[in-house]
Amino acid sequence: MSKRSNDVEDPPLKRKKVEKSSSYTLYVKNINDKLKPHQLEQQLYYLFSVYGDVVAINCPPKMRGQAFISLSDSNDTIVARNKLQNRVIFGKKLIIEFAKNNSKKIEDSF
């Protein structure tokens, strides 16, 4: 069969880029470093527990203003990252990225 001029193929639909991640751990930086470690962990727990089960929070003393938060589901990490990105907490905008490695607690659970 020959193609007619009015039988034009539809252009392929552009798909939205869906962000996929196998990371259960988020790296959070630009946190106000004036908070005491216990206070910081508590506030991060309250902030991130809205989006899923918080498995671990790691605020290394040498990494002031930074933390690692592990959630039980990788989809929850995506939602939490998208919702909390640039949120102002204690006078500073949070910067959230996916951690390069998962928490030991996450790896031990598999």
Side-chain angles (χ1 to χ4, degrees):
M1 277 183 145
S2 65
K3 281 191 173 182
R4 293 185 211 157
S5 61
N6 59 356
D7 288 345
V8 178
E9 286 185 31
D10 291 333
L13 296 174
K14 290 185 179 180
R15 295 182 184 185
K16 287 184 179 179
K17 186 177 180 182
V18 177
E19 191 165 7
K20 292 184 181 180
S21 171
S22 62
S23 179
Y24 293 83
T25 305
L26 294 170
Y27 168 62
V28 183
K29 60 184 179 179
N30 201 38
I31 301 170
N32 190 326
D33 59 355
K34 302 290 186 217
L35 296 171
K36 294 178 183 176
H38 176 71
Q39 204 178 23
L40 175 61
E41 285 184 28
Q42 188 178 37
Q43 294 303 318
L44 289 173
Y45 178 82
Y46 291 142
L47 189 63
F48 283 87
S49 65
V50 171
Y51 302 101
D53 294 326
V54 176
V55 176
I57 297 175
N58 186 9
C59 305
K62 291 182 181 180
M63 298 175 65
R64 294 182 65 180
Q66 302 170 61
F68 295 93
I69 294 101
S70 298
L71 300 174
S72 62
D73 186 336
S74 63
N75 290 330
D76 292 342
T77 60
I78 295 169
V79 172
R81 178 181 170 266
N82 292 341
K83 295 287 184 175
L84 296 174
Q85 189 70 267
N86 295 317
R87 167 93 49 100
V88 177
I89 304 295
F90 298 108
K92 294 183 95 174
K93 279 187 181 181
L94 295 180
I95 299 171
I96 305 171
E97 301 170 0
F98 293 108
K100 292 179 183 175
N101 298 316
N102 284 319
S103 164
K104 290 273 186 197
K105 289 185 180 182
I106 291 292
E107 290 175 1
D108 292 344
S109 68
F110 287 113

